[in-house]
Amino acid sequence: MNRYVAFLRGMNLGGRRIKNSELQVEFEALGFAEVACFRASGNVVFACEEGNEATLTVQLEAGLGEALGYAVPVFLRGAAELREIAAREPFDPDAVAASKGKVQVALLPAAPAGSASKEALALATDDDRLAIEGRELYWLPSGGISESDLDLRALEAAVGPWTMRTMGTAEQIVARYFAG
């Protein structure tokens, strides 16, 4: 069995509300096993025989969209890939320690092309550090993300859609579901 985490965008925001138990039922109805939800923000761990990420993403987006009545963008990561993400140190440890902000991980559908990466990284400042590695954009704000002056719309225009989690969330999912 292959193990994955589906990071769902826009869950439990605005008028959209779904309990983890309901989300778990939807994943099981789609044929997935060992389903577990981590926090109430659309982080779903599951196992399946299928190993094609593109096929799984299409299946999840279609199935969840039909069941919930609205589009649910899915950003899928396998166990090994999530372990790599959680182990990365995209910023100098001293800069992280000095920051009042938390390292954020924007999960992208694909690695941005060179020009898109350059455009996104050009938005970085001393208060908002950015790094791109593979299909992830890392952001170290100097404080809370709501206090930041980083132009998130311009950033998304450069690299495409994403869903964002803290590095701590990635580390906790790995520790709980994919250790060893």
Side-chain angles (χ1 to χ4, degrees):
M1 290 280 246
N2 297 300
R3 306 249 351 231
Y4 296 93
V5 180
F7 294 96
L8 311 178
R9 181 176 174 158
M11 300 308 294
N12 292 328
L13 296 174
R16 298 179 180 174
R17 297 281 178 229
I18 185 166
K19 295 179 181 175
N20 281 346
S21 58
E22 297 166 335
L23 198 51
Q24 183 173 344
V25 166
E26 295 302 338
F27 269 72
E28 289 169 349
L30 291 170
F32 299 113
E34 301 173 34
V35 179
C37 296
F38 184 79
R39 298 196 177 138
S41 55
N43 308 304
V44 184
V45 179
F46 66 96
C48 65
E49 293 294 331
E50 175 66 52
N52 182 306
E53 187 176 302
T55 301
L56 285 171
T57 299
V58 168
Q59 180 184 357
L60 284 166
E61 288 180 343
L64 291 172
E66 183 177 322
L68 302 178
Y70 53 85
V72 181
V74 175
F75 299 83
L76 204 58
R77 298 297 186 269
E81 189 175 12
L82 192 60
R83 280 195 286 274
E84 289 173 10
I85 292 167
R88 284 190 186 131
E89 292 184 9
F91 305 106
D92 180 89
D94 291 337
V96 174
S99 175
K100 293 180 183 171
K102 296 179 181 180
V103 175
Q104 304 292 315
V105 182
L107 300 140
L108 310 170
S115 60
S117 290
K118 287 178 186 176
E119 187 178 333
L121 294 175
L123 297 169
T125 66
D126 289 341
D127 288 336
D128 289 296
R129 298 167 191 239
L130 298 172
I132 296 174
E133 293 189 37
R135 298 190 298 163
E136 287 73 43
L137 178 137
Y138 297 89
W139 171 27
L140 177 60
S142 62
I145 59 174
S146 63
E147 301 162 3
S148 171
D149 290 330
L150 183 63
D151 188 343
L152 295 177
R153 289 178 195 250
L155 193 57
E156 188 169 20
V159 298
W162 71 53
T163 191
M164 194 172 296
R165 304 296 189 270
T166 66
M167 179 65 91
T169 295
E171 293 165 347
Q172 291 166 16
I173 291 172
V174 167
R176 186 168 185 173
Y177 300 101
F178 303 118

